[in-house]
Amino acid sequence: MTYDDYLDGDPVVVTAALTGGVHGKEANPNLPETPTEIGRAAAECEEAGAAVVHLHARRPSGERSFDRERFQAVTDEVRSRTNLVVQHSTGGTGAPLDARRQALRTDPPPEMASLDMGPLNRYRHLTSENTRGTIDALYDEMAERGIKPEMEVFNDGHLNEVRALLERRDLAEPVYATLIFGGGTTAPPSPRNLLTAADHLPDGALFNTLGFGRHQLPLTTMGILLGGHVRVGLEDNVYYDRGELAESNARLVARTADLAETLGREPATPDEAREILGL
Protein backbone atom coordinates (compact mmCIF):
# COMPACT_ATOMS: atom_id res chain seq x y z
CA MET A 1 0.00 0.00 0.00
CA THR A 2 1.32 3.40 -1.00
CA TYR A 3 0.44 7.06 -1.42
CA ASP A 4 -0.93 6.09 -4.84
CA ASP A 5 -3.59 4.02 -3.06
CA TYR A 6 -4.54 7.15 -1.15
CA LEU A 7 -4.73 9.13 -4.37
CA ASP A 8 -6.98 6.45 -5.85
CA GLY A 9 -9.41 7.06 -2.98
CA ASP A 10 -9.57 3.43 -1.88
CA PRO A 11 -11.84 2.86 1.15
CA VAL A 12 -10.18 2.78 4.57
CA VAL A 13 -10.95 -0.06 6.96
CA VAL A 14 -11.46 1.31 10.47
CA THR A 15 -10.92 -1.19 13.29
CA ALA A 16 -12.34 -0.42 16.73
CA ALA A 17 -10.36 -1.89 19.64
CA LEU A 18 -12.94 -1.63 22.39
CA THR A 19 -11.50 -2.81 25.68
CA GLY A 20 -8.11 -4.57 25.63
CA GLY A 21 -6.74 -6.58 28.51
CA VAL A 22 -4.59 -4.20 30.56
CA HIS A 23 -6.39 -1.10 31.85
CA GLY A 24 -10.04 -1.02 32.87
CA LYS A 25 -12.63 1.42 34.14
CA GLU A 26 -10.07 2.88 36.52
CA ALA A 27 -8.41 4.42 33.45
CA ASN A 28 -11.66 5.52 31.82
CA PRO A 29 -15.11 4.68 33.25
CA ASN A 30 -16.52 4.57 29.70
CA LEU A 31 -14.39 1.53 28.77
CA PRO A 32 -16.72 -1.47 28.18
CA GLU A 33 -16.03 -4.67 30.13
CA THR A 34 -19.15 -6.90 30.21
CA PRO A 35 -20.40 -8.71 27.10
CA THR A 36 -23.44 -6.42 27.00
CA GLU A 37 -21.33 -3.28 27.29
CA ILE A 38 -18.97 -4.52 24.58
CA GLY A 39 -21.88 -5.43 22.28
CA ARG A 40 -23.43 -1.99 22.68
CA ALA A 41 -20.09 -0.28 22.09
CA ALA A 42 -19.57 -2.35 18.93
CA ALA A 43 -22.97 -1.32 17.56
CA GLU A 44 -22.18 2.35 18.24
CA CYS A 45 -18.83 1.97 16.47
CA GLU A 46 -20.42 0.37 13.41
CA GLU A 47 -22.81 3.31 13.16
CA ALA A 48 -19.85 5.69 13.52
CA GLY A 49 -17.93 4.11 10.64
CA ALA A 50 -16.04 1.05 11.93
CA ALA A 51 -15.87 -2.11 9.83
CA VAL A 52 -13.85 -4.41 12.12
CA VAL A 53 -14.07 -4.91 15.87
CA HIS A 54 -11.04 -6.16 17.82
CA LEU A 55 -12.24 -8.10 20.86
CA HIS A 56 -10.89 -9.18 24.23
CA ALA A 57 -12.87 -10.97 26.91
CA ARG A 58 -13.07 -9.95 30.56
CA ARG A 59 -14.04 -11.68 33.78
CA PRO A 60 -16.97 -10.34 35.81
CA SER A 61 -14.32 -8.63 37.97
CA GLY A 62 -13.14 -6.70 34.91
CA GLU A 63 -9.82 -8.56 34.63
CA ARG A 64 -8.80 -10.09 31.32
CA SER A 65 -10.14 -13.56 30.57
CA PHE A 66 -8.82 -16.22 28.19
CA ASP A 67 -11.87 -18.43 28.77
CA ARG A 68 -13.57 -19.62 25.59
CA GLU A 69 -17.03 -19.20 27.12
CA ARG A 70 -16.33 -15.56 27.91
CA PHE A 71 -15.16 -14.97 24.33
CA GLN A 72 -18.31 -16.74 23.14
CA ALA A 73 -20.52 -14.46 25.21
CA VAL A 74 -18.78 -11.36 23.87
CA THR A 75 -18.84 -12.41 20.23
CA ASP A 76 -22.48 -13.52 20.47
CA GLU A 77 -23.42 -10.05 21.72
CA VAL A 78 -21.46 -8.36 18.93
CA ARG A 79 -22.87 -10.61 16.19
CA SER A 80 -26.44 -10.17 17.44
CA ARG A 81 -26.14 -6.38 17.19
CA THR A 82 -23.84 -5.77 14.20
CA ASN A 83 -22.50 -6.91 10.84
CA LEU A 84 -18.93 -6.03 11.90
CA VAL A 85 -15.96 -8.22 11.03
CA VAL A 86 -15.13 -10.02 14.28
CA GLN A 87 -11.45 -10.15 15.19
CA HIS A 88 -10.33 -11.87 18.41
CA SER A 89 -7.12 -11.22 20.30
CA THR A 90 -4.71 -14.11 20.86
CA GLY A 91 -2.15 -11.85 22.53
CA GLY A 92 -1.17 -12.90 26.00
CA THR A 93 1.37 -11.33 28.31
CA GLY A 94 2.51 -14.27 30.41
CA ALA A 95 -0.37 -16.53 29.33
CA PRO A 96 0.34 -20.13 28.23
CA LEU A 97 -0.25 -21.14 24.63
CA ASP A 98 -3.35 -23.22 25.40
CA ALA A 99 -5.04 -20.24 27.04
CA ARG A 100 -4.31 -18.07 24.02
CA ARG A 101 -5.85 -20.69 21.69
CA GLN A 102 -9.26 -20.37 23.35
CA ALA A 103 -10.11 -17.18 21.46
CA LEU A 104 -9.95 -19.20 18.23
CA ARG A 105 -12.45 -21.81 19.39
CA THR A 106 -15.75 -19.94 19.51
CA ASP A 107 -18.67 -21.18 17.40
CA PRO A 108 -18.53 -19.81 14.78
CA PRO A 109 -14.86 -18.89 14.89
CA PRO A 110 -13.87 -15.25 14.49
CA GLU A 111 -13.24 -14.09 10.94
CA MET A 112 -9.85 -12.70 12.01
CA ALA A 113 -7.47 -13.00 14.95
CA SER A 114 -4.40 -11.11 16.04
CA LEU A 115 -1.02 -12.83 15.79
CA ASP A 116 1.84 -11.19 17.70
CA MET A 117 5.00 -11.46 15.62
CA GLY A 118 7.65 -11.54 18.34
CA PRO A 119 8.71 -10.74 21.91
CA LEU A 120 7.16 -7.77 23.64
CA ASN A 121 7.67 -5.82 26.88
CA ARG A 122 5.10 -3.28 28.06
CA TYR A 123 4.99 -1.32 31.27
CA ARG A 124 6.92 -2.56 34.30
CA HIS A 125 5.53 -6.05 34.66
CA LEU A 126 4.10 -7.22 31.32
CA THR A 127 6.01 -9.36 28.85
CA SER A 128 5.10 -11.79 26.09
CA GLU A 129 7.63 -14.18 24.57
CA ASN A 130 5.91 -15.04 21.27
CA THR A 131 8.45 -17.59 20.11
CA ARG A 132 8.35 -18.84 16.53
CA GLY A 133 6.90 -22.07 17.88
CA THR A 134 4.04 -20.15 19.49
CA ILE A 135 3.46 -18.10 16.35
CA ASP A 136 3.36 -21.23 14.18
CA ALA A 137 1.01 -23.05 16.55
CA LEU A 138 -1.47 -20.17 16.65
CA TYR A 139 -1.23 -19.62 12.89
CA ASP A 140 -1.80 -23.31 12.14
CA GLU A 141 -4.98 -23.36 14.22
CA MET A 142 -6.16 -20.17 12.50
CA ALA A 143 -5.57 -21.78 9.11
CA GLU A 144 -7.42 -24.93 10.18
CA ARG A 145 -10.43 -22.92 11.32
CA GLY A 146 -10.48 -20.47 8.40
CA ILE A 147 -9.39 -17.44 10.44
CA LYS A 148 -7.33 -14.70 8.80
CA PRO A 149 -4.29 -13.63 10.83
CA GLU A 150 -3.81 -9.95 11.59
CA MET A 151 -0.05 -9.92 12.14
CA GLU A 152 0.84 -7.46 14.90
CA VAL A 153 4.21 -5.82 14.25
CA PHE A 154 5.43 -4.12 17.42
CA ASN A 155 8.87 -3.11 16.12
CA ASP A 156 11.12 -3.32 13.07
CA GLY A 157 12.47 -6.73 14.10
CA HIS A 158 8.97 -8.11 13.79
CA LEU A 159 9.01 -7.15 10.12
CA ASN A 160 11.71 -9.81 9.76
CA GLU A 161 9.37 -12.25 11.49
CA VAL A 162 6.58 -11.47 9.03
CA ARG A 163 8.89 -12.47 6.19
CA ALA A 164 10.07 -15.52 8.14
CA LEU A 165 6.48 -16.69 8.64
CA LEU A 166 5.83 -16.26 4.92
CA GLU A 167 8.79 -18.55 4.29
CA ARG A 168 7.48 -21.20 6.72
CA ARG A 169 3.79 -21.02 5.89
CA ASP A 170 1.61 -20.32 2.85
CA LEU A 171 -0.48 -17.32 3.91
CA ALA A 172 -3.54 -16.43 1.87
CA GLU A 173 -3.33 -13.07 0.15
CA PRO A 174 -3.57 -10.29 0.95
CA VAL A 175 -1.12 -10.40 3.86
CA TYR A 176 -2.37 -8.05 6.58
CA ALA A 177 -0.15 -6.47 9.23
CA THR A 178 -0.76 -3.92 11.96
CA LEU A 179 2.14 -1.51 12.51
CA ILE A 180 2.26 -0.54 16.19
CA PHE A 181 3.91 2.50 17.78
CA GLY A 182 4.26 3.51 21.41
CA GLY A 183 6.37 2.66 24.45
CA GLY A 184 8.19 -0.42 25.72
CA THR A 185 9.45 -2.61 22.90
CA THR A 186 6.98 -1.17 20.42
CA ALA A 187 8.46 1.00 17.67
CA PRO A 188 9.17 4.61 18.72
CA PRO A 189 6.22 6.70 17.52
CA SER A 190 7.18 9.06 14.70
CA PRO A 191 6.12 9.74 11.11
CA ARG A 192 9.52 8.63 9.86
CA ASN A 193 9.25 5.26 11.61
CA LEU A 194 5.79 4.66 10.16
CA LEU A 195 7.12 5.40 6.68
CA THR A 196 10.05 3.04 7.22
CA ALA A 197 7.86 0.21 8.51
CA ALA A 198 5.38 0.56 5.64
CA ASP A 199 8.26 0.55 3.13
CA HIS A 200 9.66 -2.70 4.55
CA LEU A 201 6.49 -4.77 4.38
CA PRO A 202 6.38 -7.59 1.82
CA ASP A 203 5.17 -6.57 -1.62
CA GLY A 204 1.39 -6.53 -1.83
CA ALA A 205 0.84 -6.51 1.94
CA LEU A 206 -1.91 -4.37 3.43
CA PHE A 207 -1.17 -2.48 6.62
CA ASN A 208 -3.09 -1.11 9.55
CA THR A 209 -1.75 1.73 11.73
CA LEU A 210 -1.97 1.67 15.53
CA GLY A 211 -0.60 4.44 17.73
CA PHE A 212 -0.87 4.27 21.51
CA GLY A 213 -2.08 7.21 23.58
CA ARG A 214 -1.58 10.67 22.14
CA HIS A 215 0.05 9.16 19.04
CA GLN A 216 -3.24 7.58 17.93
CA LEU A 217 -4.57 10.59 16.04
CA PRO A 218 -1.44 11.79 14.19
CA LEU A 219 -0.21 8.35 13.16
CA THR A 220 -3.60 7.06 12.02
CA THR A 221 -3.97 10.25 9.99
CA MET A 222 -0.66 9.50 8.36
CA GLY A 223 -1.73 5.89 7.79
CA ILE A 224 -4.75 7.13 5.88
CA LEU A 225 -2.53 9.35 3.71
CA LEU A 226 -0.25 6.39 2.96
CA GLY A 227 -3.15 4.34 1.65
CA GLY A 228 -3.31 2.13 4.74
CA HIS A 229 -6.02 1.20 7.20
CA VAL A 230 -6.36 2.31 10.82
CA ARG A 231 -7.20 1.14 14.33
CA VAL A 232 -8.56 3.34 17.12
CA GLY A 233 -10.34 2.77 20.40
CA LEU A 234 -10.14 2.78 24.17
CA GLU A 235 -7.83 -0.25 24.26
CA ASP A 236 -5.08 1.92 22.79
CA ASN A 237 -6.01 5.42 23.94
CA VAL A 238 -8.43 6.47 26.70
CA TYR A 239 -8.33 10.18 25.79
CA TYR A 240 -10.10 12.21 23.13
CA ASP A 241 -7.94 15.30 23.61
CA ARG A 242 -5.23 16.37 26.02
CA GLY A 243 -6.66 15.91 29.52
CA GLU A 244 -10.12 14.96 28.16
CA LEU A 245 -11.23 11.35 28.57
CA ALA A 246 -13.01 9.89 25.55
CA GLU A 247 -16.75 9.56 26.08
CA SER A 248 -16.85 6.34 24.09
CA ASN A 249 -15.12 4.18 21.52
CA ALA A 250 -17.63 5.49 18.98
CA ARG A 251 -16.44 9.06 19.42
CA LEU A 252 -12.89 8.03 18.51
CA VAL A 253 -14.19 6.07 15.52
CA ALA A 254 -16.38 8.95 14.34
CA ARG A 255 -13.46 11.38 14.41
CA THR A 256 -11.37 8.96 12.35
CA ALA A 257 -14.17 8.28 9.85
CA ASP A 258 -14.81 12.01 9.43
CA LEU A 259 -11.10 12.60 8.93
CA ALA A 260 -10.88 9.86 6.29
CA GLU A 261 -13.79 11.40 4.41
CA THR A 262 -12.20 14.85 4.60
CA LEU A 263 -9.00 13.39 3.16
CA GLY A 264 -10.89 11.76 0.29
CA ARG A 265 -11.27 8.15 1.47
CA GLU A 266 -14.61 6.72 2.50
CA PRO A 267 -14.72 4.41 5.53
CA ALA A 268 -15.28 0.85 4.32
CA THR A 269 -18.48 -0.94 5.28
CA PRO A 270 -18.07 -4.33 6.97
CA ASP A 271 -18.83 -6.15 3.70
CA GLU A 272 -16.39 -3.94 1.79
CA ALA A 273 -13.79 -4.73 4.45
CA ARG A 274 -14.39 -8.45 3.95
CA GLU A 275 -13.67 -7.99 0.24
CA ILE A 276 -10.59 -5.81 0.84
CA LEU A 277 -9.13 -8.21 3.41
CA GLY A 278 -9.95 -11.37 1.47
CA LEU A 279 -12.19 -12.89 4.14
Side-chain angles (χ1 to χ4, degrees):
M1 305 184 74
T2 67
Y3 183 58
D4 287 339
D5 295 293
Y6 161 71
L7 293 175
D8 289 340
D10 292 346
V12 57
V13 176
V14 179
T15 295
L18 304 180
T19 185
V22 180
H23 53 264
K25 291 184 182 293
E26 79 287 347
N28 184 327
N30 301 312
L31 185 142
E33 292 183 343
T34 69
T36 299
E37 288 176 340
I38 293 170
R40 288 173 179 164
E44 293 170 356
C45 287
E46 181 179 32
E47 185 174 353
V52 179
V53 64
H54 177 79
L55 298 176
H56 291 250
R58 298 220 178 209
R59 300 172 185 165
S61 64
E63 295 176 313
R64 183 173 185 180
S65 172
F66 293 93
D67 185 73
R68 186 191 67 80
E69 284 73 22
R70 294 296 293 180
F71 265 102
Q72 188 71 56
V74 170
T75 198
D76 285 348
E77 280 286 343
V78 171
R79 290 182 187 275
S80 72
R81 298 171 185 266
T82 78
N83 183 39
L84 290 167
V85 175
V86 171
Q87 180 189 103
H88 285 177
S89 170
T90 68
T93 47
L97 174 59
D98 189 59
R100 295 170 64 177
R101 291 179 186 270
Q102 299 308 306
L104 306 175
R105 297 177 178 177
T106 55
D107 183 20
E111 293 170 88
M112 303 180 72
S114 64
L115 183 61
D116 294 356
M117 295 308 297
L120 170 66
N121 290 332
R122 288 185 65 193
Y123 309 109
R124 181 177 177 83
H125 61 290
L126 298 179
T127 187
S128 186
E129 291 186 349
N130 297 314
T131 64
R132 286 183 176 177
T134 296
I135 293 168
D136 287 350
L138 289 170
Y139 170 77
D140 288 343
E141 183 154 350
M142 290 181 199
E144 181 180 341
R145 295 181 62 81
I147 302 167
K148 186 177 186 69
E150 174 250 352
M151 293 183 286
E152 299 210 337
V153 176
F154 290 90
N155 55 52
D156 286 353
H158 293 179
L159 292 168
N160 292 332
E161 294 302 320
V162 169
R163 295 180 181 277
L165 181 61
L166 289 171
E167 292 175 358
R168 300 194 303 272
R169 297 292 190 272
D170 185 18
L171 274 68
E173 295 183 351
V175 170
Y176 189 61
T178 295
L179 306 177
I180 301 172
F181 302 87
T185 47
T186 61
S190 74
R192 185 180 299 278
N193 284 341
L194 174 53
L195 281 168
T196 298
D199 284 345
H200 285 83
L201 284 168
D203 291 343
L206 306 182
F207 75 89
N208 189 33
T209 304
L210 188 170
F212 285 120
R214 64 178 180 172
H215 307 292
Q216 184 172 88
L217 179 60
L219 291 184
T220 53
T221 301
M222 186 172 173
I224 293 170
L225 290 172
L226 293 177
H229 305 292
V230 296
R231 170 174 144 172
V232 298
L234 293 176
E235 173 177 352
D236 308 327
N237 170 36
V238 297
Y239 290 95
Y240 186 81
D241 203 348
R242 186 183 299 271
E244 178 188 350
L245 291 174
E247 296 175 359
S248 65
N249 282 286
R251 192 175 182 208
L252 294 171
V253 169
R255 176 169 66 181
T256 302
D258 289 345
L259 181 62
E261 290 178 343
T262 298
L263 294 173
R265 295 181 66 192
E266 290 292 323
T269 67
D271 285 339
E272 286 173 335
R274 291 180 174 95
E275 183 176 352
I276 291 167
L277 300 174
L279 303 182

CSV table of all heavy atoms in Angstrom, one decimal, residues 90-115:
chain,number,residue,atom,x,y,z
A,90,THR,N,-5.4,-13.0,20.3
A,90,THR,CA,-4.7,-14.1,20.9
A,90,THR,C,-3.5,-13.7,21.6
A,90,THR,O,-2.7,-14.5,22.0
A,90,THR,CB,-4.3,-15.1,19.8
A,90,THR,OG1,-3.3,-14.6,18.9
A,90,THR,CG2,-5.5,-15.6,18.9
A,91,GLY,N,-3.3,-12.3,21.8
A,91,GLY,CA,-2.1,-11.8,22.5
A,91,GLY,C,-2.3,-12.3,24.0
A,91,GLY,O,-3.4,-12.5,24.5
A,92,GLY,N,-1.1,-12.4,24.6
A,92,GLY,CA,-1.2,-12.9,26.0
A,92,GLY,C,0.1,-12.7,26.8
A,92,GLY,O,1.0,-13.5,26.7
A,93,THR,N,0.2,-11.6,27.5
A,93,THR,CA,1.4,-11.3,28.3
A,93,THR,C,1.4,-12.3,29.5
A,93,THR,O,0.6,-12.2,30.4
A,93,THR,CB,1.3,-9.9,28.9
A,93,THR,OG1,0.1,-9.6,29.4
A,93,THR,CG2,1.6,-8.9,27.7
A,94,GLY,N,2.3,-13.3,29.4
A,94,GLY,CA,2.5,-14.3,30.4
A,94,GLY,C,1.5,-15.4,30.4
A,94,GLY,O,1.6,-16.4,31.2
A,95,ALA,N,0.6,-15.5,29.4
A,95,ALA,CA,-0.4,-16.5,29.3
A,95,ALA,C,0.2,-17.7,28.6
A,95,ALA,O,0.9,-17.6,27.6
A,95,ALA,CB,-1.6,-16.0,28.7
A,96,PRO,N,-0.1,-19.0,29.0
A,96,PRO,CA,0.3,-20.1,28.2
A,96,PRO,C,-0.4,-20.2,26.9
A,96,PRO,O,-1.4,-19.7,26.7
A,96,PRO,CB,0.0,-21.3,29.2
A,96,PRO,CG,-1.1,-20.8,30.0
A,96,PRO,CD,-0.9,-19.3,30.2
A,97,LEU,N,0.3,-21.0,26.0
A,97,LEU,CA,-0.3,-21.1,24.6
A,97,LEU,C,-1.7,-21.6,24.6
A,97,LEU,O,-2.5,-21.1,23.9
A,97,LEU,CB,0.7,-22.1,23.8
A,97,LEU,CG,0.2,-22.5,22.4
A,97,LEU,CD1,0.0,-21.2,21.6
A,97,LEU,CD2,1.2,-23.4,21.8
A,98,ASP,N,-2.0,-22.7,25.4
A,98,ASP,CA,-3.4,-23.2,25.4
A,98,ASP,C,-4.4,-22.2,25.8
A,98,ASP,O,-5.5,-22.2,25.2
A,98,ASP,CB,-3.5,-24.4,26.3
A,98,ASP,CG,-4.8,-25.2,26.1
A,98,ASP,OD1,-5.1,-25.6,25.0
A,98,ASP,OD2,-5.6,-25.2,27.1
A,99,ALA,N,-4.1,-21.3,26.7
A,99,ALA,CA,-5.0,-20.2,27.0
A,99,ALA,C,-5.3,-19.3,25.9
A,99,ALA,O,-6.4,-18.9,25.6
A,99,ALA,CB,-4.5,-19.5,28.2
A,100,ARG,N,-4.2,-19.0,25.1
A,100,ARG,CA,-4.3,-18.1,24.0
A,100,ARG,C,-5.1,-18.7,22.8
A,100,ARG,O,-5.6,-18.0,22.0
A,100,ARG,CB,-2.9,-17.6,23.6
A,100,ARG,CG,-2.2,-16.8,24.7
A,100,ARG,CD,-0.8,-16.6,24.4
A,100,ARG,NE,-0.5,-15.8,23.2
A,100,ARG,CZ,0.6,-15.3,22.8
A,100,ARG,NH1,1.7,-15.7,23.5
A,100,ARG,NH2,0.8,-14.6,21.7
A,101,ARG,N,-5.1,-20.0,22.8
A,101,ARG,CA,-5.8,-20.7,21.7
A,101,ARG,C,-7.4,-20.5,21.9
A,101,ARG,O,-8.1,-20.7,20.9
A,101,ARG,CB,-5.5,-22.2,21.7
A,101,ARG,CG,-4.1,-22.6,21.3
A,101,ARG,CD,-4.0,-24.1,21.4
A,101,ARG,NE,-2.7,-24.6,21.1
A,101,ARG,CZ,-2.2,-25.0,19.9
A,101,ARG,NH1,-3.0,-24.8,18.9
A,101,ARG,NH2,-1.0,-25.5,19.8
A,102,GLN,N,-7.8,-20.3,23.1
A,102,GLN,CA,-9.3,-20.4,23.4
A,102,GLN,C,-10.0,-19.3,22.5
A,102,GLN,O,-11.2,-19.6,22.2
A,102,GLN,CB,-9.5,-20.2,24.9
A,102,GLN,CG,-8.9,-21.2,25.7
A,102,GLN,CD,-9.3,-22.6,25.3
A,102,GLN,OE1,-10.4,-23.0,25.2
A,102,GLN,NE2,-8.2,-23.5,25.1
A,103,ALA,N,-9.4,-18.2,22.2
A,103,ALA,CA,-10.1,-17.2,21.5
A,103,ALA,C,-10.4,-17.6,20.0
A,103,ALA,O,-11.3,-17.0,19.4
A,103,ALA,CB,-9.3,-15.9,21.4
A,104,LEU,N,-9.7,-18.7,19.6
A,104,LEU,CA,-9.9,-19.2,18.2
A,104,LEU,C,-11.0,-20.3,18.2
A,104,LEU,O,-11.4,-20.7,17.1
A,104,LEU,CB,-8.6,-19.8,17.7
A,104,LEU,CG,-7.4,-18.9,17.7
A,104,LEU,CD1,-6.2,-19.7,17.3
A,104,LEU,CD2,-7.6,-17.7,16.9
A,105,ARG,N,-11.6,-20.6,19.3
A,105,ARG,CA,-12.5,-21.8,19.4
A,105,ARG,C,-13.9,-21.5,19.7
A,105,ARG,O,-14.7,-22.3,20.1
A,105,ARG,CB,-11.9,-22.8,20.4
A,105,ARG,CG,-10.5,-23.3,20.1
A,105,ARG,CD,-9.9,-24.2,21.1
A,105,ARG,NE,-8.6,-24.7,20.6
A,105,ARG,CZ,-7.8,-25.4,21.3
A,105,ARG,NH1,-8.1,-25.8,22.6
A,105,ARG,NH2,-6.6,-25.8,20.8
A,106,THR,N,-14.3,-20.3,19.4
A,106,THR,CA,-15.7,-19.9,19.5
A,106,THR,C,-16.5,-20.6,18.3
A,106,THR,O,-15.9,-21.0,17.4
A,106,THR,CB,-16.0,-18.4,19.5
A,106,THR,OG1,-15.4,-17.8,18.3
A,106,THR,CG2,-15.4,-17.8,20.8
A,107,ASP,N,-17.8,-20.6,18.4
A,107,ASP,CA,-18.7,-21.2,17.4
A,107,ASP,C,-19.7,-20.1,17.0
A,107,ASP,O,-20.6,-19.8,17.7
A,107,ASP,CB,-19.4,-22.4,17.9
A,107,ASP,CG,-20.2,-23.1,16.8
A,107,ASP,OD1,-19.9,-22.9,15.6
A,107,ASP,OD2,-21.1,-23.9,17.2
A,108,PRO,N,-19.6,-19.6,15.8
A,108,PRO,CA,-18.5,-19.8,14.8
A,108,PRO,C,-17.2,-19.1,15.2
A,108,PRO,O,-17.2,-18.3,16.1
A,108,PRO,CB,-19.1,-19.2,13.5
A,108,PRO,CG,-19.9,-18.0,14.0
A,108,PRO,CD,-20.6,-18.6,15.3
A,109,PRO,N,-16.1,-19.5,14.6
A,109,PRO,CA,-14.9,-18.9,14.9
A,109,PRO,C,-14.9,-17.4,14.4
A,109,PRO,O,-15.7,-17.0,13.6
A,109,PRO,CB,-13.8,-19.7,14.1
A,109,PRO,CG,-14.6,-20.3,13.0
A,109,PRO,CD,-16.0,-20.6,13.5
A,110,PRO,N,-14.0,-16.6,15.0
A,110,PRO,CA,-13.9,-15.2,14.5
A,110,PRO,C,-13.4,-15.2,13.0
A,110,PRO,O,-12.7,-16.2,12.6
A,110,PRO,CB,-12.8,-14.6,15.4
A,110,PRO,CG,-12.0,-15.8,15.9
A,110,PRO,CD,-13.0,-16.9,16.0
A,111,GLU,N,-13.7,-14.2,12.3
A,111,GLU,CA,-13.2,-14.1,10.9
A,111,GLU,C,-11.8,-13.8,10.9
A,111,GLU,O,-11.1,-14.1,9.9
A,111,GLU,CB,-14.0,-13.0,10.2
A,111,GLU,CG,-15.5,-13.4,10.0
A,111,GLU,CD,-16.3,-12.2,9.5
A,111,GLU,OE1,-16.4,-12.0,8.3
A,111,GLU,OE2,-16.9,-11.4,10.3
A,112,MET,N,-11.3,-13.1,11.9
A,112,MET,CA,-9.9,-12.7,12.0
A,112,MET,C,-9.4,-12.9,13.4
A,112,MET,O,-10.2,-13.0,14.4
A,112,MET,CB,-9.6,-11.2,11.6
A,112,MET,CG,-10.1,-10.8,10.2
A,112,MET,SD,-9.8,-9.1,9.9
A,112,MET,CE,-8.0,-9.1,9.7
A,113,ALA,N,-8.1,-13.0,13.6
A,113,ALA,CA,-7.5,-13.0,14.9
A,113,ALA,C,-6.1,-12.4,14.9
A,113,ALA,O,-5.4,-12.5,13.9
A,113,ALA,CB,-7.4,-14.4,15.5
A,114,SER,N,-5.7,-11.7,16.0
A,114,SER,CA,-4.4,-11.1,16.0
A,114,SER,C,-3.3,-12.2,16.2
A,114,SER,O,-3.6,-13.2,16.8
A,114,SER,CB,-4.3,-10.1,17.2
A,114,SER,OG,-4.5,-10.8,18.4
A,115,LEU,N,-2.1,-11.9,15.7
A,115,LEU,CA,-1.0,-12.8,15.8
A,115,LEU,C,0.2,-12.0,16.1
A,115,LEU,O,0.8,-11.4,15.2
A,115,LEU,CB,-0.9,-13.6,14.5
A,115,LEU,CG,0.2,-14.7,14.5
A,115,LEU,CD1,0.0,-15.8,15.5
A,115,LEU,CD2,0.3,-15.3,13.1
